[in-house]
Amino acid sequence: MAIKQVVYEPLTTDTARELSKNLQLFNQNDQLSAVEIGDGNLNLVFRIQNVINEKSYIIKQALPYAKVVGTSWPLTLDRSRIEGESLKRTYQLVPELTPKVYYSDSTLAVTVMDDLSHLIILRKGLIAGNQYPKLAKDIGIFLAHTLFFNSDFGLNQQDKKIQSSQFINPELCKITEDLVFTDPFFDHDTNNIDDTLKLFVTETIWADPALKLEVAKLKQAFLTKGETLVHGDLHTGSIFVSEEETIVIDPEFAYYGPFGFDVGAFIANLILNYLAQDVHLAVQPQKKAEFQRYLLDVITETWQVFEQEFTTLWQEHPQDAFMNVDGYLEQTLQTIFSDAIGFAGCKVIRRMIGLAGVEDVESITDVNLRNQVKKNALTLGKKLIVQRNELTSIQKLVKVVSDHA
Amino acid sequence: MAIKQVVYEPLTTDTARELSKNLQLFNQNDQLSAVEIGDGNLNLVFRIQNVINEKSYIIKQALPYAKVVGTSWPLTLDRSRIEGESLKRTYQLVPELTPKVYYSDSTLAVTVMDDLSHLIILRKGLIAGNQYPKLAKDIGIFLAHTLFFNSDFGLNQQDKKIQSSQFINPELCKITEDLVFTDPFFDHDTNNIDDTLKLFVTETIWADPALKLEVAKLKQAFLTKGETLVHGDLHTGSIFVSEEETIVIDPEFAYYGPFGFDVGAFIANLILNYLAQDVHLAVQPQKKAEFQRYLLDVITETWQVFEQEFTTLWQEHPQDAFMNVDGYLEQTLQTIFSDAIGFAGCKVIRRMIGLAGVEDVESITDVNLRNQVKKNALTLGKKLIVQRNELTSIQKLVKVVSDHA
């Protein structure tokens, strides 16, 4: 094994290659290529490959700062430890949906894992209009197994408390608390709003006290509902896919939070792609109808698989004496669902006016068309938040999305 | 300062006296008396006193086991660290209501604090029919300040997460999860039920699925709602009182839990004393009416002071951008109140059929009279749990208690 570094320093392609040899991922005499393929905002990502047999690994290293739209702020390296711990725990539960971790070092803030270059990031696949037949089932399974087995329903309740202490994640939670649950709902300087949209945002979002009260409750749920170990950032950019495979990456935001949070994040990003396709596929009405139908089917099937699988786990692996009480499972699923819809609404809104947009929408070059999509998204997001307790079935949710002009 | 012990060993009166001198609580030549005054079930409690000027301190040491009704099981010494940390944090917030900690040592599991022998344990005072004019106001203030300033409403939200990591308390939480929220609601061998009461318990509690569903939700709240640092065991045996003073002790069960938990525990124990006075004061009907009126007034005033003080702190020390949104404070107080009533119901029930009874009721020697009080308590506890969302004001709660035959 490698000799542990005593101080942090950023890797280079040379030191990354050397680390992979020291870890005996390759033989000493193998000829290796090393390329940095990250976007450089938060992490370095090196792909190390044997040039002969093409066997390869990823070395991911956290940077001690975050760069977003030109600004930079310090960011804890502890997120690398949290990401590594979360990946390892998730691999125990759903190995086929998780990259395998071969090595991690909290001083270097390094995680060595499977190379997934043969897959595509789901967001890019959806923007290109590709369908992934296994996606909904895989994410439904992923959500059911990770959320159930890390909760008081599926994990020894004392072990759960000890596990939760390893995922105290103040700095990354703060990013979500600010950028998802707070700044977009006020005229805050981190927002990124086109001038022509500002009046609409003011009237629709900032001037609505009923909306703000509901967002306050959802934020409080994010702050205090330590129900299970959530991924914490399960958007379509955190999922690698192909026709045959689905792999969830990047759990740096993992912490003990509400069941509904990951479910809501995934649904929100499918909804955003749905709304953006109104423009992307405008000139192919038949393809548009078909693809949007597919997206709604993914939302429906994901929830149905989650619900079915969670129910099976609940019945087969109960950790709590009350789990066979009539109505408790149904009540639990209903709360997860309404929380998820509320969180989805917040995520939709923040992507339209907050610091970080989504490529699905930002790639629309015509400003008027883009703003029309954003307005649609803002009113839909608001509807999800305010009506979340009335949307008591996946069919009702999907109808609200498809009816939304 | 004392040289730290490297291994745990139980203190004796001699080593406790020596420790107090090493800590320079006394002068080397002072003549000291040392007496062990604990009940020996969970902790050793030494009172060390200067025999000349009567200056004194308490040295409390956790034992590595718990003894209850003859059985014994191992119990973490870490509870001593948690108790010490909680006392110190609480002293920052409400010094006049908290013993001062002079020294703590997590290896020895020792906490050195103020001697409160001039006060009486509230439970004993109430059983004796004494009234304490400052009690309600003091506990209302205690609850408002500790619950507010340790929550996301009153403490920096990142600091709150770090603080919560110091109060992960699996073993003592398990005692509450089992003995308050689980075993009493099933025919479990930890229960302690008079044979003549068993049929009533079976029919009223164990055979009621609607009750069990509500208890399941309250238990889930205890397991997952990490809202604030609660005392965790705020019954009338954890409060020292006199006409002039109120001091809350014994926060070994402290952890991040729901706002309503301590409020409910306090109310539950006042209710139990109320019901027991039907027997204790049966031969003095006027005194009984007067004292029961006093107990209801304490419940009312405690909540009103809490509500008023929490409101002031909310307005003057907000940590969250949403706290000035219309209706948010009212909604928060309403949730705290209904949670508190539900927790109070669970606590009332568990004291009637669970492992640990309360002296208020167990001191009734006539078994028929005692069982009548227990039946009253069980049906009232059940009512509180099931009706907690309809009891939307302190007046309604007090009416349910006083109307309860």
Side-chain angles (χ1 to χ4, degrees):
Chain A
M1 294 303 277
I3 294 158
K4 288 227 179 192
Q5 292 276 144
V6 289
V7 291
Y8 174 84
E9 61 181 40
L11 293 173
T12 63
T13 49
D14 284 345
T15 56
R17 188 159 33 196
E18 196 183 336
L19 175 63
S20 70
K21 283 202 175 177
N22 288 343
L23 293 171
Q24 303 181 353
L25 300 171
F26 302 98
N27 293 321
Q28 277 307 317
N29 300 325
D30 287 350
Q31 250 197 289
L32 304 181
S33 69
V35 197
E36 207 282 303
I37 58 172
D39 60 8
N41 281 340
L42 290 163
N43 303 291
L44 295 171
V45 181
F46 297 94
R47 182 166 178 246
I48 317 287
Q49 186 167 43
N50 181 322
V51 298
I52 308 297
N53 66 13
E54 298 194 336
K55 186 178 149 188
S56 60
Y57 294 93
I58 290 293
I59 300 181
K60 180 172 176 180
Q61 182 180 40
L63 289 165
Y65 52 81
K67 264 194 278 179
V68 185
V69 252
T71 63
S72 173
W73 67 79
L75 195 59
T76 175
L77 293 174
D78 191 48
R79 70 189 197 275
S80 169
R81 180 193 63 77
I82 284 177
E83 175 172 5
E85 293 299 319
S86 169
L87 286 173
K88 287 180 222 168
R89 172 63 182 155
T90 307
Y91 192 83
Q92 292 174 343
L93 300 171
V94 280
E96 68 285 6
L97 307 173
T98 314
K100 184 166 179 182
V101 171
Y102 298 92
Y103 177 76
S104 59
D105 174 340
S106 58
T107 306
L108 263 187
V110 147
T111 311
V112 181
M113 62 188 124
D114 285 329
D115 180 17
L116 303 170
S117 307
H118 62 294
L119 305 177
I120 184 178
I121 285 289
L122 175 59
R123 187 183 305 285
K124 294 194 183 292
L126 294 180
I127 292 171
N130 298 336
Q131 299 188 17
Y132 299 96
K134 294 191 64 191
L135 175 65
K137 177 142 191 264
D138 284 348
I139 296 298
I141 296 277
F142 178 91
L143 290 168
H145 284 250
T146 59
L147 300 181
F148 180 82
F149 280 116
N150 290 315
S151 80
D152 289 295
F153 298 125
L155 178 61
N156 172 287
Q157 298 180 344
Q158 277 45 63
D159 293 343
K160 179 243 180 178
K161 293 178 183 70
I162 292 163
Q163 178 164 285
S164 77
S165 72
Q166 297 162 346
F167 292 98
I168 307 279
N169 200 352
E171 283 192 44
L172 275 79
C173 283
K174 180 166 170 60
I175 294 177
T176 304
E177 287 152 25
D178 289 350
L179 299 188
V180 176
F181 289 109
T182 310
D183 300 354
F185 299 95
F186 299 88
D187 186 4
H188 197 280
D189 59 13
T190 64
N191 291 327
N192 184 17
I193 306 169
D194 195 280
D195 282 345
T196 56
L197 206 63
K198 196 140 183 183
L199 182 63
F200 183 84
V201 170
T202 306
E203 289 173 354
T204 314
I205 307 293
W206 298 340
D208 185 343
L211 172 67
K212 282 186 175 176
L213 179 56
E214 296 309 312
V215 175
K217 291 188 224 163
L218 289 162
K219 181 181 179 185
Q220 172 73 356
F222 181 85
L223 285 163
T224 64
K225 260 185 157 180
E227 296 177 329
T228 189
L229 181 60
V230 298
H231 177 284
D233 197 26
L234 192 60
H235 56 79
T236 48
S238 297
I239 302 171
F240 265 119
V241 286
S242 71
E243 296 263 315
E244 295 83 28
E245 272 187 282
T246 313
I247 308 275
V248 176
I249 60 166
D250 285 357
E252 297 171 309
F253 285 78
Y255 86 112
Y256 261 81
F259 279 114
F261 193 69
D262 289 347
V263 182
F266 184 63
I267 290 175
N269 280 270
L270 294 172
I271 288 174
L272 288 173
N273 189 271
Y274 179 99
L275 297 176
Q277 297 298 357
D278 280 342
V279 175
H280 291 307
L281 295 175
V283 293
Q284 298 164 270
Q286 199 181 333
K287 160 109 190 180
K288 173 164 113 62
E290 186 206 322
F291 192 71
Q292 288 186 325
R293 186 74 252 158
Y294 163 73
L295 290 170
L296 296 183
D297 288 347
V298 172
I299 293 175
T300 303
E301 192 189 346
T302 302
W303 176 258
Q304 286 172 338
V305 170
F306 168 77
E307 193 173 37
Q308 195 170 44
E309 194 71 13
F310 193 90
T311 298
T312 303
L313 298 176
W314 179 284
Q315 287 158 350
E316 293 181 358
H317 304 278
Q319 285 281 345
D320 193 288
F322 288 92
M323 287 169 72
N324 62 2
V325 169
D326 274 356
Y328 191 26
L329 170 63
E330 293 70 18
Q331 176 92 45
T332 301
L333 285 167
Q334 199 58 64
T335 304
I336 296 175
F337 191 63
S338 67
D339 281 0
I341 297 175
F343 293 135
C346 295
K347 293 236 164 193
V348 164
I349 289 174
R350 82 92 163 208
R351 291 293 194 175
M352 297 304 97
I353 57 186
L355 187 58
V358 281
E359 193 186 337
D360 317 55
V361 176
E362 299 303 328
S363 62
I364 298 169
T365 47
D366 183 298
V367 64
N368 290 326
L369 293 174
R370 190 170 69 237
N371 278 348
Q372 193 48 53
V373 169
K374 289 193 176 185
K375 286 181 184 174
N376 275 350
L378 289 168
T379 49
L380 178 55
K382 181 170 157 169
K383 212 179 271 183
L384 297 182
I385 292 168
V386 176
Q387 297 179 9
R388 69 190 186 282
N389 293 317
E390 291 123 64
L391 300 176
T392 49
S393 73
I394 191 68
Q395 289 75 20
K396 286 185 191 165
L397 170 66
V398 161
K399 190 164 178 337
V400 164
V401 177
S402 60
D403 286 356
H404 193 74
Chain B
M1 295 301 276
I3 292 157
K4 289 226 178 192
Q5 291 276 145
V6 288
V7 291
Y8 174 84
E9 61 182 40
L11 293 173
T12 63
T13 49
D14 282 346
T15 55
R17 186 161 31 197
E18 195 182 335
L19 175 64
S20 70
K21 283 205 174 175
N22 289 344
L23 292 171
Q24 303 181 352
L25 300 172
F26 301 98
N27 294 322
Q28 277 307 317
N29 300 326
D30 287 352
Q31 247 197 293
L32 304 182
S33 69
V35 196
E36 207 281 306
I37 57 172
D39 59 10
N41 280 341
L42 291 162
N43 304 291
L44 296 171
V45 181
F46 296 94
R47 181 164 180 250
I48 317 289
Q49 187 168 42
N50 182 322
V51 298
I52 308 297
N53 67 12
E54 299 194 337
K55 184 177 151 189
S56 60
Y57 295 92
I58 291 294
I59 300 182
K60 180 171 177 181
Q61 182 180 40
L63 289 165
Y65 52 80
K67 262 194 281 181
V68 185
V69 252
T71 62
S72 172
W73 67 79
L75 196 59
T76 176
L77 293 174
D78 191 47
R79 69 188 197 277
S80 169
R81 180 192 63 78
I82 285 176
E83 175 171 4
E85 292 301 316
S86 170
L87 286 174
K88 288 180 221 167
R89 172 63 182 154
T90 307
Y91 192 83
Q92 291 174 345
L93 300 171
V94 280
E96 68 285 7
L97 307 173
T98 313
K100 183 167 180 180
V101 171
Y102 296 93
Y103 177 75
S104 59
D105 174 340
S106 58
T107 305
L108 263 187
V110 146
T111 311
V112 181
M113 61 189 125
D114 284 331
D115 180 18
L116 304 170
S117 308
H118 62 294
L119 305 178
I120 183 177
I121 286 289
L122 175 59
R123 188 183 306 284
K124 294 194 182 295
L126 295 180
I127 292 171
N130 299 335
Q131 299 189 16
Y132 299 96
K134 292 191 65 190
L135 175 66
K137 176 143 192 262
D138 284 347
I139 296 298
I141 296 277
F142 178 90
L143 291 167
H145 284 249
T146 59
L147 301 181
F148 180 83
F149 281 116
N150 289 315
S151 80
D152 289 296
F153 298 126
L155 177 61
N156 172 287
Q157 299 181 343
Q158 277 44 64
D159 293 344
K160 178 243 181 179
K161 292 178 182 70
I162 292 163
Q163 178 165 284
S164 77
S165 72
Q166 297 163 345
F167 292 97
I168 307 278
N169 199 351
E171 283 191 45
L172 276 78
C173 283
K174 181 167 169 57
I175 295 176
T176 305
E177 287 151 26
D178 289 350
L179 299 188
V180 176
F181 289 109
T182 310
D183 301 354
F185 300 94
F186 299 88
D187 185 4
H188 197 281
D189 60 11
T190 63
N191 290 327
N192 185 17
I193 307 170
D194 194 279
D195 283 345
T196 56
L197 206 62
K198 195 140 183 182
L199 181 64
F200 184 83
V201 170
T202 305
E203 289 174 354
T204 314
I205 307 293
W206 298 340
D208 184 343
L211 172 67
K212 282 186 175 176
L213 180 57
E214 295 310 311
V215 176
K217 290 188 225 164
L218 289 162
K219 182 181 180 186
Q220 172 73 356
F222 181 83
L223 285 163
T224 64
K225 260 184 157 182
E227 295 177 332
T228 189
L229 182 61
V230 298
H231 177 284
D233 197 26
L234 191 60
H235 56 78
T236 48
S238 298
I239 302 170
F240 266 121
V241 286
S242 71
E243 296 264 316
E244 295 83 30
E245 270 186 283
T246 312
I247 308 274
V248 176
I249 60 166
D250 284 357
E252 298 172 309
F253 284 79
Y255 87 113
Y256 260 81
F259 279 113
F261 194 69
D262 289 346
V263 182
F266 183 63
I267 290 175
N269 280 271
L270 294 172
I271 288 175
L272 288 173
N273 189 271
Y274 178 99
L275 297 176
Q277 298 297 358
D278 280 343
V279 176
H280 291 306
L281 295 176
V283 294
Q284 298 163 270
Q286 198 181 334
K287 159 110 191 181
K288 172 164 114 61
E290 186 205 323
F291 192 70
Q292 288 186 325
R293 185 74 251 160
Y294 163 74
L295 291 170
L296 297 183
D297 287 348
V298 172
I299 294 176
T300 303
E301 191 188 346
T302 302
W303 175 259
Q304 285 171 339
V305 170
F306 169 77
E307 193 173 36
Q308 195 170 43
E309 194 71 12
F310 194 89
T311 299
T312 303
L313 298 176
W314 179 285
Q315 286 158 350
E316 292 180 358
H317 304 278
Q319 284 282 346
D320 194 288
F322 287 92
M323 287 169 72
N324 62 3
V325 169
D326 273 357
Y328 192 26
L329 170 63
E330 292 71 18
Q331 175 92 46
T332 301
L333 285 166
Q334 198 58 63
T335 304
I336 296 175
F337 191 62
S338 66
D339 282 359
I341 297 174
F343 293 134
C346 295
K347 295 235 164 194
V348 164
I349 288 175
R350 83 92 165 209
R351 291 293 194 175
M352 296 304 97
I353 58 185
L355 186 59
V358 281
E359 193 186 336
D360 316 55
V361 177
E362 299 304 328
S363 61
I364 300 171
T365 47
D366 182 298
V367 65
N368 290 325
L369 292 174
R370 190 170 67 236
N371 278 349
Q372 192 47 54
V373 170
K374 289 193 177 185
K375 286 181 184 176
N376 275 351
L378 288 168
T379 50
L380 178 56
K382 182 169 156 169
K383 211 180 269 183
L384 296 183
I385 292 169
V386 177
Q387 297 179 10
R388 69 190 185 282
N389 293 316
E390 290 123 65
L391 300 176
T392 48
S393 73
I394 191 68
Q395 289 76 18
K396 287 185 192 167
L397 171 67
V398 162
K399 188 164 179 342
V400 165
V401 176
S402 61
D403 286 356
H404 192 74

